Amino acid sequence: MFVDKEKYFEIDDFEKFDVEALYTTKDIGNIDTLFKDEEKSGENIYKCFGKKDSVVIYAKQTHTNKVIDIDEKTDKYFYEEVDGFISKRKDVVLMTQYADCLPIFLYDKVNHVIGVCHSGWKGSFQEIGIKTIELMEEKYSSSRENILVALGIGISCEKYEVGVEFYENFKNNFSKEIVENSFKFFEDDNKWHFDNTEFNRLNLIKNGILSENIIVSKECTYKNNRFHSFRRDKNSMRNAGMIFFK
């Protein structure tokens, strides 16, 4: 469950494993100002979330399906062509940024691997969530039945209108069941709408993630003015999705 903590929403299902997974609201401040500066980011993580001596691993949203492992040899902190991270390191805060796209948070309950990835429609089409899981398997021998996944917070289907070519592209590349349940035709605006959260939920289940291990947010970045939304506001302000060991 996503729990409202005012400045951020916390996923309490991860708490029992001493993992903090959260999504910020506007109240936390400007994401770039607080966390992109390597010298100040650790201090601000402590002020905002109470984690001491942290190293912030920060990604600019570029809509790729590239996910990397942050291991003990990693000495780079800001990535422009990466949209997801995994790690076993106890000192890092993995952070990606959003303004309607879907954050996907992951935790391997057995091998103690955390992950987060940025899944806009391009990332979803390229199955970045599955790519993240595959990297967890490759690097840390994770098993899919042991991975906890949280989807959200992002734009709702109601507010995510798309073109016919967009719909047809997904229809030609994914199963009928997934497409029929993640696209809806709204007669009031005569357009297709995309449910990015449901698409990822169904695709994760199809690829071996247990349905009972998937947590879904019902919040919408567009409808709730507490979040930054590019479709609503047409600006460059961003929310942060982050995960770290407590």
Side-chain angles (χ1 to χ4, degrees):
M1 180 182 294
F2 285 69
V3 180
D4 188 353
K5 299 289 186 177
E6 294 186 5
K7 290 188 175 183
Y8 56 90
F9 278 68
E10 179 181 81
I11 308 170
D12 64 355
D13 305 74
F14 287 68
E15 289 287 301
K16 67 185 74 172
F17 303 105
D18 287 327
V19 172
E20 186 79 86
L22 54 89
Y23 188 87
T24 64
T25 68
K26 289 180 178 178
D27 289 341
I28 207 72
N30 187 306
I31 297 307
D32 273 346
T33 301
L34 285 171
F35 305 120
K36 188 175 177 180
D37 186 319
E38 182 183 331
E39 293 184 1
K40 297 179 180 179
S41 60
E43 179 182 345
N44 287 326
I45 287 290
Y46 175 65
K47 288 179 180 178
C48 295
F49 311 112
K51 182 172 175 61
K52 296 181 179 179
D53 304 319
S54 60
V55 177
V56 179
I57 309 296
Y58 186 84
K60 180 180 179 180
Q61 56 177 36
T62 47
H63 304 280
T64 68
N65 68 343
K66 186 173 181 181
V67 184
I68 62 172
D69 175 35
I70 303 301
D71 61 19
E72 297 300 332
K73 298 178 182 178
T74 302
D75 58 3
K76 182 178 178 181
Y77 307 106
F78 178 70
Y79 295 83
E80 293 195 24
E81 297 299 328
V82 171
D83 280 86
F85 304 112
I86 65 169
S87 186
K88 282 178 69 76
R89 284 176 54 175
K90 304 297 184 182
D91 63 327
V92 300
V93 174
L94 306 180
M95 182 182 302
T96 45
Q97 54 176 319
Y98 305 84
D100 287 329
C101 296
L102 184 73
I104 302 177
F105 305 89
L106 309 98
Y107 178 62
D108 177 346
K109 298 180 284 185
V110 173
N111 293 298
H112 310 297
V113 184
I114 55 174
V116 63
C117 62
H118 164 264
S119 192
W121 75 262
K122 290 182 180 179
S124 295
F125 186 80
Q126 298 175 92
E127 300 181 280
I128 189 171
I130 308 303
K131 298 287 185 185
T132 307
I133 292 164
E134 289 173 346
L135 188 61
M136 294 169 76
E137 292 172 325
E138 175 190 341
K139 295 291 185 178
Y140 301 108
S141 300
S142 296
S143 296
R144 299 190 184 198
E145 65 268 21
N146 297 324
I147 297 176
L148 184 67
V149 181
L151 303 174
I153 297 166
I155 194 169
S156 63
C157 182
E158 178 187 349
K159 295 297 183 180
Y160 199 174
E161 68 273 9
V162 297
V164 175
E165 289 185 5
F166 181 109
Y167 165 71
E168 293 290 344
N169 202 19
F170 275 80
K171 183 179 178 181
N172 292 333
N173 285 276
F174 295 95
S175 73
K176 182 179 179 180
E177 178 186 4
I178 290 178
V179 172
E180 285 186 348
N181 285 283
S182 53
F183 283 86
K184 295 179 182 179
F185 189 79
F186 282 47
E187 293 186 357
D188 58 346
D189 64 5
N190 201 37
K191 290 182 179 179
W192 285 100
H193 288 235
F194 180 47
D195 191 332
N196 196 15
T197 301
E198 183 65 1
F199 172 84
N200 277 279
R201 190 185 75 84
L202 293 172
N203 200 36
L204 286 165
I205 293 171
K206 180 184 177 182
N207 283 276
I209 299 299
L210 301 179
S211 59
E212 59 265 32
N213 283 341
I214 301 176
I215 304 105
V216 176
S217 168
K218 300 300 183 183
E219 295 290 336
C220 171
T221 47
Y222 189 106
K223 290 190 286 187
N224 190 339
N225 196 50
R226 293 174 63 196
F227 303 110
H228 299 294
S229 168
F230 178 77
R231 285 202 170 209
R232 184 191 63 228
D233 302 328
K234 302 297 188 293
N235 63 34
S236 60
M237 302 294 285
R238 298 290 183 264
N239 314 297
M242 61 182 78
I243 189 168
F244 52 89
F245 291 101
K246 297 181 72 173

